[in-house]
């Protein structure tokens, strides 16, 4: 018997948590999850070649998301987190109800980011006036409004689509002076709809990368447009806590996961470009691999 056969036979199987987004935004979720649950092995997939998703129709978002989810299950993921509000709003339910039972006979599941975010809102708002900043697809799905109203009937909810924020981030322009115009545009629009808003939900996983500009805008302009102080909710920490809780309640999934603390990065775009940008966003070196999703 060769030494390599020995290692092949007895090497422990890696079972990962898959984290999927249309592009770089899901890194904000991955980062928070890995801080909370560093022991597991992760596989990140960014469909950067086809981002942004947020301006596509339901059919396209569902088809792209399903391709990504299948890819992750075929590459040793037992759980997939849709670290993308657009995919969570448009594709999660159909995938859970229609596709999961057909994907294979393994024990696998897909989780989204909207529910854990919604559950945090009532503890934060004092006025009961809440603003949702999200992609056009998430806004038109009304997912936030419906989920919030299911749990809390007395909220005043306003939504604002921010179609140009994701392209700014995907193109690395989000901290440059040109981004100020678009930060001002959408924040001004949502507060003009309802100046009583005291809680703004960043309902897109890309948006925390704009947080320095958003915080600066609120500091400079908040008093002019809003009646009181404004809290901004970003999702990473909430999703991390929710996943930890899910794994505690579901040992049938937790027990499948390997605990090597590793993370691989996949992108449908150029791997060097992804590695460079992701290293900046995560403040840690990333070595990505290119894949095709068709
Ligand atoms: N990060 C995705 C989300 O949370 C992005 C969107 C996009 O590709 O438009 O909605």
């Amino acid at each position: 018997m060769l030494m390599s056969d020995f290692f092949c036979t007895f090497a422990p199987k890696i079972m990962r948590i898959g984290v999927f987004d249309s592009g770089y935004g899901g890194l904000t979720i991955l980062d928070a999850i890995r801080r909370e649950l560093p022991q597991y092995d992760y596989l990140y997939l960014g469909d950067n070649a086809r981002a942004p998703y947020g301006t596509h129709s339901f059919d396209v978002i569902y088809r792209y998301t399903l391709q990504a989810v299948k890819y992750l299950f075929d590459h040793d993921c037992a759980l997939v987190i849709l670290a993308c509000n657009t995919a969570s709003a448009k594709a999660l339910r159909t995938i859970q109800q229609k596709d999961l039972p057909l994907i294979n006979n393994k024990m696998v599941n897909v989780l989204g980011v909207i529910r854990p975010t919604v559950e945090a809102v009532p503890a934060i708002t004092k006025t009961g006036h809440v603003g949702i900043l999200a992609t056009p697809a998430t806004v038109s799905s009304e997912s936030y409004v419906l989920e919030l109203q299911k749990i809390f009937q007395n909220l005043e909810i306003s939504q604002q689509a921010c179609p140009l924020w994701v392209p700014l981030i995907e193109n690395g322009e989000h901290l440059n002076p040109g981004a100020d115009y678009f930060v001002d545009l959408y924040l001004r629009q949502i507060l003009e709809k309802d100046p009583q808003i005291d809680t703004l939900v960043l309902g897109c996983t890309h948006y925390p990368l704009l947080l320095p500009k958003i915080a600066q805008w609120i500091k400079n302009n908040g008093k002019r447009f809003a009646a009181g102080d404004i809290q901004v909710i970003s999702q990473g920490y909430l999703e991390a806590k929710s996943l930890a809780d899910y794994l505690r309640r579901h040992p049938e999934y937790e027990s499948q996961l390997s605990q090597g603390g590793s993370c691989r990065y996949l992108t449908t775009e150029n791997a060097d470009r992804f590695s460079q940008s992701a290293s900046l966003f995560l403040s840690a070196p990333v070595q990505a691999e290119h894949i095709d999703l068709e």
Side-chain angles (χ1 to χ4, degrees), residues 194-220:
D194 181 359
Q196 300 296 322
I197 287 172
D198 71 346
T199 305
L200 280 176
V201 176
L202 300 186
C204 169
T205 56
H206 280 70
Y207 298 173
L209 294 162
L210 275 170
L211 208 43
K213 293 239 182 242
I214 292 170
Q216 192 60 46
W217 188 94
I218 291 173
K219 200 168 155 220
N220 295 346

Side-chain angles (χ1 to χ4, degrees), residues 76-90:
D76 301 327
C77 293
L79 265 183
V80 171
I81 313 298
L82 297 186
C84 174
N85 291 267
T86 308
S88 301
K90 293 286 190 185

Side-chain angles (χ1 to χ4, degrees), residues 21-26 50-55 83-87 113 135-136 138 166 203-207 235:
D21 181 46
S22 61
Y24 296 114
R50 302 189 292 194
Y53 277 19
T55 42
C84 174
N85 291 267
T86 308
V113 281
T135 66
T138 302
V166 170
C204 169
T205 56
H206 280 70
Y207 298 173
Q235 303 177 293

Side-chain angles (χ1 to χ4, degrees), residues 130-179:
V130 175
I132 311 294
L133 300 161
T135 66
T138 302
V139 166
S140 73
S141 76
E142 300 259 310
S143 295
Y144 271 97
V145 178
L146 297 170
E147 288 292 329
L148 278 165
Q149 283 172 346
K150 252 188 233 162
I151 320 181
F152 317 104
Q153 279 82 32
N154 297 328
L155 294 178
E156 277 298 323
I157 306 160
S158 305
Q159 299 198 92
Q160 178 62 47
C162 313
L164 289 163
W165 281 6
V166 170
L168 281 173
I169 294 160
E170 284 293 310
N171 289 291
E173 294 290 336
H174 55 292
L175 296 180
N176 292 339

